[in-house]
Amino acid sequence: MKQKIFAICDMEEAYALRMAEYMLEKIRLPYALHLFTKVEELEKFMEEEEIAILLIAESALELLRAEYVREQVVQMFILQENDMCESGPPKREQQGDDRPALYISKFQSPETIVAMLIESAEGLSDWRRTGGATGTEVKLIGIYSPVKRCLQTTFALTMGQMLSKEHRVLYFNFECYSGFGQLLGREFLADVTDVMYYFRCDKEKLALHLPAIIQNINGLDYVPPMQSQTELWETDGRQWLELCRNIASIGEYEYIILDLDDGMSGLFDLLKECYKIYTITRDDSFAVAKLNQYEQILKFYELEEVAERTVKCRFPIFKEVPVNLELMTHGELAGYVKAIIREDLYGK
């Protein structure tokens, strides 16, 4: 389920950042928050996305083409920049397409402005003050097998897309060479390396950058995999866990699916924290030998909890498996995964 969008646009960068930071720190947003300090960037964004609520400075609105507002904005609040204007509740005026625009004095505290938004905008009655955490703990689902070329990523994406029909789900791919960009025909301007940078060096701004980095595929949110495996080697399991929980809090994710790989540091640390672990197996002698060695390692390091939470999946021979990553919810494998979700995750 794609999250609705709340956008802030103000060419006064310090003011825009202060407003966005207040919302992220004090309010549980029911929308994804996007921040723009250039009108041309907002227009480019609106070519692809509808904005549920737009909070925009008067000077920025004067530069924004009217057709974008008319076609891509559901509700709009305008920050009046005349310091002689009165403070107080929003003032309604009709837009050219007969929809009301609500004017708010910009020269009030963020707390006052947000309170007015909550009172006046449709769909915000469920906003609550928060310390930034979600009401429920995110569930980590680990997908890992020592057996290679076993449909692990296909399985992970299928499960993620199917779960995302009813839940907020995020997918992380930890392969050294995922090939995601080529498979999806997309060029990613940022990836998990950038997310980890903000998390380590500028944590308070992470929530501002995340919406521009996270991508979506058939309803499933995902962080583009890294282009270089260096980050996999340099980041330990504790850091990955902290990052996952921080992102879950920001995006209110219920599940995070971890498509894990041998090339990463902290593999077992992540597996220990997973609610469920799915390990794909095969019947050939090489696969059996690899799985036996993996289970011996778990026993050696006293990781019985990992073994106990592991569900072994031995797939039948599928006549056809989708090659289009956006069509994973169709076909034989999807039916298999649907049964796993119903029986194993939902207990039905």
Side-chain angles (χ1 to χ4, degrees):
M1 184 185 300
K2 192 172 183 180
Q3 199 171 17
K4 293 181 180 180
I5 294 167
F6 185 110
I8 299 172
C9 182
D10 194 321
M11 294 180 290
E12 187 182 341
E13 185 173 348
Y15 179 91
L17 284 169
R18 188 165 67 251
M19 180 63 69
E21 287 174 356
Y22 178 85
M23 288 186 175
L24 291 167
E25 291 173 4
K26 304 297 183 182
I27 304 296
R28 178 180 293 177
L29 290 167
Y31 301 120
L33 180 65
H34 290 255
L35 177 65
F36 302 92
T37 56
K38 295 180 180 179
V39 173
E40 54 268 31
E41 293 177 352
L42 174 62
E43 289 186 339
K44 185 176 180 181
F45 179 81
M46 292 169 74
E47 290 175 1
E48 302 290 336
E49 301 286 351
E50 180 184 77
I51 295 175
I53 299 175
L54 174 63
L55 179 65
I56 186 169
E58 260 185 320
S59 56
L61 181 61
E62 291 173 0
L63 301 176
L64 183 62
R65 282 180 281 180
E67 60 267 26
Y68 283 96
V69 176
R70 185 170 56 250
E71 297 171 6
Q72 294 296 96
V73 177
V74 179
Q75 299 179 76
M76 182 167 66
F77 290 80
I78 301 167
L79 293 168
Q80 289 180 293
E81 296 174 305
N82 181 353
D83 58 6
M84 298 298 291
C85 65
E86 296 181 4
S87 300
K91 298 177 178 60
R92 293 179 178 268
E93 293 185 16
Q94 294 299 120
Q95 296 177 183
D97 58 355
D98 296 328
R99 287 183 302 164
L102 290 94
Y103 286 79
I104 301 175
S105 172
K106 181 175 177 178
F107 301 99
Q108 303 178 84
S109 69
E111 183 176 10
T112 301
I113 292 174
V114 169
M116 292 179 182
L117 289 171
I118 295 174
E119 185 70 25
S120 305
E122 297 179 8
L124 300 189
S125 60
D126 58 346
W127 277 27
R128 294 191 296 276
R129 297 190 177 276
T130 179
T134 58
T136 58
E137 181 74 15
V138 64
K139 292 181 178 179
L140 303 180
I141 297 178
I143 316 290
Y144 171 73
S145 176
V147 180
K148 304 309 171 189
R149 296 191 61 81
C150 61
L151 300 179
Q152 175 174 312
T153 294
T154 304
F155 174 81
L157 285 170
T158 302
M159 175 172 283
Q161 290 181 27
M162 298 192 79
L163 274 175
S164 67
K165 293 181 182 299
E166 298 181 16
H167 304 277
R168 291 276 297 155
V169 185
L170 181 69
Y171 169 81
F172 259 109
N173 183 292
F174 290 92
E175 290 180 284
C176 291
Y177 303 101
S178 68
F180 252 50
Q182 182 174 332
L183 290 170
L184 290 169
R186 299 182 189 178
E187 182 178 345
F188 301 121
L189 300 179
D191 58 31
V192 71
T193 307
D194 300 278
V195 174
M196 184 56 79
Y197 168 80
Y198 290 123
F199 179 70
R200 287 172 174 162
C201 305
D202 203 4
K203 187 180 293 187
E204 64 275 10
K205 299 290 196 307
L206 176 62
L208 298 179
H209 294 284
L210 265 181
I213 298 175
I214 289 177
Q215 305 290 312
N216 189 278
I217 177 171
N218 194 22
L220 172 65
D221 282 356
Y222 68 95
V223 179
M226 62 196 68
Q227 299 301 308
S228 169
Q229 66 268 44
T230 305
E231 193 71 57
L232 283 171
W233 300 334
E234 296 178 348
T235 305
D236 61 31
R238 178 189 56 79
Q239 290 175 309
W240 285 124
L241 283 169
E242 192 177 350
L243 175 65
C244 285
R245 288 175 175 145
N246 198 275
I247 292 176
S249 175
I250 293 168
E252 297 196 342
Y253 290 105
E254 299 169 77
Y255 293 95
I256 293 182
I257 292 182
L258 306 175
D259 190 352
L260 301 166
D261 187 77
D262 294 318
M264 64 181 298
S265 176
L267 171 64
F268 290 138
D269 292 327
L270 282 171
L271 287 173
K272 284 194 297 184
E273 298 299 320
C274 286
Y275 160 73
K276 288 285 183 182
I277 302 158
Y278 293 92
T279 296
I280 301 168
T281 67
R282 294 203 306 254
D283 290 327
D284 63 89
S285 57
F286 286 99
V288 171
K290 288 174 181 288
L291 185 63
N292 286 340
Q293 184 175 350
Y294 167 63
E295 291 178 336
Q296 289 170 9
I297 291 295
L298 292 181
K299 186 176 294 186
F300 178 81
Y301 287 109
E302 298 182 345
L303 295 171
E304 288 83 2
E305 69 269 36
V306 172
E308 290 170 0
R309 296 184 198 138
T310 296
V311 178
K312 296 179 185 177
C313 300
R314 184 175 286 106
F315 294 149
I317 297 176
F318 298 118
K319 295 179 180 178
E320 186 176 359
V321 175
V323 293
N324 187 331
L325 300 188
E326 298 183 2
L327 297 175
M328 293 298 174
T329 55
H330 302 277
E332 295 176 281
L333 178 59
Y336 186 91
V337 174
K338 184 177 181 180
I340 289 177
I341 292 174
R342 185 177 61 248
E343 297 172 12
D344 200 30
L345 295 182
Y346 294 164
K348 297 181 180 178

